[in-house]
């Protein structure tokens, strides 16, 4: 074990030290970082399973909802970029919220909530990737069997954990292939759908959010869209392994705009080809909402090429799974290095220069959770997935406000600082927290999702419950990590421990 202390005195307004945690510096450039960010969102899977639900709410105005849902994501992305420029640490939200609001908020919001959201997402991605893989291989019987899907999902988790453990360069190389297949499939599907006989001519009016009837449908559609953009921030967790410090900030904005363009193109194409009717192939048909691409691809591309689209959704889930393991293990590495988690999470593999223990731990935890939720109920797993939206809106919102608070003394320095460090992050944070409040209100209903307990929606209990559960957990671990919780904001100024 090597302990590194920063000679600079810890000050509440000083950025954290840049002492190395043992990761391999200069591993990835701009393109690889953008690819990691895009892959973590699982674009093919996200648009396939979300577009139908958005269309049910707002019809042909689904592109408008996608555009409006992008706004708080973009505003939050500015906050992430400015914070990363000031404090380039692979702990990202954990470090930033700790620096702004103290160790309690940092551990709960930037640590616990982020990890729980990612863990639940990993179980969902493993399940989706497994079921699609079995279906693509023609194993339709096992694809409909919960035990077979869970077993295959555990195997997928083992594979991506092994790749992540080998190093960021290998993970990035795999992601080039996986993301490339997704984008080719989506763009190919869209291009053919536009020119199919009978396809309607796209209209600019589909982008008009003011045409959505009422605040309720507007808010519901935007909340659905928030989920399909979530995950791009995983690219910032590799900020200590990029070739220069400007890359993560550039990659944040590039990846979000690429996502917006891809989603809008696919949505316009699907609506042009199938319309928004409630029967047949229409996107307003409830029978089609579970997977729009699987429904439309055979009619658009034919049986053989439709399999390629199906494969793209499968690899989309697997690619996101890989990036989740990469990102989360680096977050726990930072928490451990700053004294907020056991030292084992800071152990670096001597040859691969990766957080080996954290990587294996997260992969194993996701596998265990997948098996547990599968045994309990498939409906329970579905509600757990829906609850992720609450966790996303919560920690994105708090992180955006952390940007405003941390830079509050600099906002008068220049119009740029006022706009990019103050106004835009503030708007993004308020929009995210408003989305959180609206989501929590809607999820209270026992009719929301598939489960309920004593008249309260299961999705609400899982989402809010995950956040509340973090409080007793934090109190329990506080006695072991007293220096971190006692020193508060100054605790992350110095890197306390790295494992070699």
């Amino acid at each position: 074990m090597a302990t590194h202390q920063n000679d600079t005195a810890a000050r509440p307004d000083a950025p954290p030290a840049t002492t190395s945690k043992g990761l391999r510096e200069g591993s990835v450039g701009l393109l690889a970082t953008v690819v990691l960010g895009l892959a973590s969102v699982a674009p093919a899977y996200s648009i396939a399973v979300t577009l139908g639900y958005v269309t049910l709410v707002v019809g042909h105005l689904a592109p408008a909802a996608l555009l409006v849902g992008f706004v708080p994501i973009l505003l939050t992305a500015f906050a992430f970029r400015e914070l990363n420029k000031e404090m380039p640490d692979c702990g990202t939200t954990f470090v930033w919220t700790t620096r702004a609001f103290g160790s309690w908020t940092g551990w709960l919001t930037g640590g616990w909530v982020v990890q729980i959201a990612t863990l639940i997402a990993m179980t969902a991605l493993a399940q989706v990737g497994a079921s699609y893989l079995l279906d693509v291989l023609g194993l339709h019987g096992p694809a409909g069997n919960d035990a077979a899907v869970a077993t295959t999902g555990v195997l997928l988790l083992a594979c991506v954990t092994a790749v992540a453990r080998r190093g960021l360069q290998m993970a990035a190389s795999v992601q080039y292939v996986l993301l490339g297949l997704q984008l080719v499939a989506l763009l190919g599907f869209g291009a053919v759908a536009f020119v199919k006989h009978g396809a309607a001519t796209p209209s600019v009016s589909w982008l008009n959010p003011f045409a959505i009837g009422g605040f309720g449908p507007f808010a519901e559609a935007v909340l659905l869209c928030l989920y399909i953009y979530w995950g791009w921030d995983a690219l910032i967790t590799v900020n200590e392994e990029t070739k220069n410090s400007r890359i993560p900030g550039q990659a944040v904005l590039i990846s979000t705009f690429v996502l917006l363009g891809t989603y809008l193109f696919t949505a316009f194409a699907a609506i042009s080809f199938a319309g928004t009717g409630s029967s047949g192939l229409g996107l307003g048909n409830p029978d089609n909402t579970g997977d729009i691409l699987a429904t439309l691809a055979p009619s658009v591309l034919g049986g053989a090429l439709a399999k390629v689209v199906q494969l793209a959704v499968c690899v989309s889930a697997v690619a996101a799974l890989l990036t989740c393991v990469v990102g989360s293990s680096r977050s726990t590495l930072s928490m451990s290095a700053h004294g907020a988690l056991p030292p084992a999470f800071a152990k670096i593999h001597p040859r691969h220069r990766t957080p080996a223990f954290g990587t294996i731990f997260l992969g194993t935890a996701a596998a265990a959770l997948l098996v547990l939720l599968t045994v309990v109920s498939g409906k329970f797993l579905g509600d757990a997935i829906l609850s992720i939206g609450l966790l996303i809106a919560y920690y994105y919102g708090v992180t955006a406000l952390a940007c405003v608070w941390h830079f509050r003394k600099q906002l008068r320095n220049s119009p740029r600082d006022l706009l990019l460090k103050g106004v835009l992050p503030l708007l993004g944070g308020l929009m995210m927290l408003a989305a959180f409040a609206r989501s929590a209100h809607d999820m209270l209903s026992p009719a929301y999702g598939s489960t309920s307990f004593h008249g309260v929606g299961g999705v609400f209990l899982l989402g809010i419950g995950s956040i509340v559960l973090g409080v007793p957990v934090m109190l329990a671990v506080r006695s072991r990590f007293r220096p971190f919780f006692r020193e508060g904001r100054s605790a992350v100024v110095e890197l306390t421990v790295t494992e070699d």
Side-chain angles (χ1 to χ4, degrees):
M1 178 188 297
T3 303
H4 304 283
Q5 297 291 340
N6 190 338
D7 294 333
T8 304
R11 305 187 315 274
D13 59 344
T18 56
T19 310
S20 172
K21 300 180 183 67
L23 297 168
R24 194 185 302 277
E25 299 177 4
S27 295
V28 290
L30 178 61
L31 179 59
T33 308
V34 170
V35 167
L36 288 169
L38 291 173
S40 66
V41 181
Y45 162 68
S46 296
I47 193 68
V49 301
T50 306
L51 181 58
Y53 290 104
V54 176
T55 306
L56 282 178
V57 177
V58 296
H60 66 278
L61 295 172
L66 289 168
L67 187 60
V68 175
F70 173 74
V71 173
I73 293 293
L74 178 62
L75 298 178
T76 305
F78 282 113
F80 274 70
R81 186 184 69 170
E82 295 303 317
L83 286 167
N84 181 72
K85 188 184 299 182
E86 176 83 1
M87 296 174 274
D89 190 293
C90 64
T92 62
T93 54
F94 160 72
V95 169
W96 304 335
T97 52
T98 298
R99 294 288 296 126
F101 302 130
S103 56
W104 295 84
T105 302
W107 198 96
L108 179 63
T109 303
W112 172 265
V113 171
V114 175
Q115 294 300 325
I116 291 297
T118 304
L119 197 60
I120 296 174
M122 287 173 66
T123 64
L125 292 167
Q127 184 196 50
V128 169
S131 59
Y132 270 90
L133 178 60
L134 292 171
D135 205 33
V136 168
L137 295 175
L139 303 173
H140 305 299
N145 182 280
D146 289 344
V149 170
T151 301
T152 307
V154 169
L155 293 175
L156 287 177
L157 281 164
C159 290
V160 298
T161 300
V163 171
R165 181 176 175 273
R166 288 292 302 276
L168 189 58
Q169 288 178 323
M170 183 175 182
S173 299
V174 172
Q175 293 289 27
Y176 282 127
V177 178
L178 299 183
L179 180 65
L181 178 59
Q182 292 180 65
L183 296 181
V184 168
L186 289 176
L187 296 178
F189 166 83
V192 176
F194 275 126
V195 300
K196 274 286 186 178
H197 177 71
T201 302
S203 172
V204 177
S205 65
W206 298 354
L207 288 171
N208 180 14
F210 299 104
I212 297 175
F215 179 74
F218 178 87
E220 185 177 355
V222 171
L223 288 172
L224 284 168
C225 292
L226 285 179
Y227 176 75
I228 70 174
Y229 291 110
W230 175 60
W232 52 265
D233 52 308
L235 68 86
I236 303 183
T237 62
V238 302
N239 54 16
E240 296 184 42
E241 298 161 86
T242 55
K243 292 182 178 178
N244 66 66
S245 60
R246 297 188 303 274
I247 285 177
Q250 296 168 344
V252 163
L253 297 182
I254 293 172
S255 62
T256 52
F257 277 106
V258 170
L259 284 173
L260 175 64
T262 303
Y263 288 156
L264 287 178
F265 179 78
T266 305
F268 268 102
I271 294 173
S272 296
F273 173 77
T276 58
S278 58
S279 61
L281 294 177
L283 271 64
N285 185 346
D287 294 334
N288 300 336
T289 53
D291 189 340
I292 288 298
L293 293 181
T295 301
L296 301 184
S299 298
V300 174
L301 301 171
L305 290 178
K307 281 289 185 182
V308 176
V309 175
Q310 194 174 26
L311 179 61
V313 176
C314 172
V315 302
S316 176
V318 174
L321 196 59
L322 173 57
T323 311
C324 283
V325 177
V326 170
S328 290
S329 61
R330 280 150 180 78
S331 296
T332 53
L333 162 64
S334 179
M335 293 181 72
S336 176
H338 293 300
L341 280 181
F345 285 95
K347 289 182 178 179
I348 296 296
H349 192 282
R351 182 158 58 93
H352 304 312
R353 312 310 300 169
T354 58
F357 175 83
T359 301
I360 295 172
F361 177 88
L362 289 162
T364 303
L369 183 60
L370 173 61
V371 172
L372 175 63
L373 294 180
T374 300
V375 170
V376 172
S377 170
K379 292 182 178 180
F380 195 78
L381 176 58
D383 281 0
I385 295 168
L386 289 175
S387 72
I388 295 174
L390 274 179
L391 306 180
I392 297 168
Y394 173 70
Y395 88 80
Y396 271 7
V398 173
T399 304
L401 295 184
C403 176
V404 180
W405 185 252
H406 179 76
F407 292 114
R408 64 192 183 281
K409 296 180 181 179
Q410 301 179 25
L411 300 184
R412 295 183 180 181
N413 289 352
S414 68
R416 180 199 179 277
D417 285 347
L418 177 62
L419 182 65
L420 298 183
K421 297 179 180 179
V423 175
L424 297 185
L426 178 62
L427 290 175
L430 293 177
M431 292 175 72
M432 286 293 181
L433 293 179
F436 171 80
R438 175 70 193 211
S439 295
H441 175 270
D442 292 343
M443 291 173 181
L444 268 171
S445 170
Y448 198 105
S450 304
T451 61
S452 64
F453 302 89
H454 300 290
V456 179
V459 179
F460 174 87
L461 291 175
L462 288 167
I464 298 298
S466 295
I467 299 173
V468 173
L469 178 62
V471 176
V473 173
M474 180 171 59
L475 292 174
V477 302
R478 176 177 174 269
S479 60
R480 184 173 178 183
F481 306 109
R482 288 188 182 278
F484 171 78
F485 286 98
R486 183 176 61 248
E487 293 168 13
R489 290 174 58 200
S490 62
V492 294
V493 172
E494 295 183 0
L495 181 63
T496 55
V497 175
T498 60
E499 292 275 342
D500 293 317

